[in-house]
Amino acid sequence: MYDHELGTAPDFSTAAIAMLGLNLMWIFTALWAIWGLVPVVLLGLGMNEAISRFAEGDD
């Protein structure tokens, strides 16, 4: 009944990163439309700082 071999799971890393970029783009666009460009720039700078700190701790 269960004599077939299980295959490997496909690698969805590229699709996940592309969707992350697309989601960030529409969220930034919505924030820009509601509150203007300054909060979007500040959020982007904050995310950049958080990612940089996360990457530094990976040593």
Side-chain angles (χ1 to χ4, degrees):
M1 181 190 226
Y2 294 107
D3 57 350
H4 65 278
E5 292 184 29
L6 293 177
T8 59
D11 183 18
F12 290 116
S13 298
T14 305
I17 292 172
M19 287 307 299
L20 175 67
L22 185 65
N23 284 328
L24 278 175
M25 187 171 60
W26 79 258
I27 290 169
F28 281 171
T29 303
L31 290 175
W32 189 1
I34 295 169
W35 288 301
L37 186 59
V38 175
V40 173
V41 170
L42 292 176
L43 180 61
L45 289 172
M47 289 177 60
N48 186 33
E49 182 66 24
I51 292 170
S52 297
R53 286 186 183 198
F54 182 72
E56 284 178 6
D58 220 22
D59 290 340

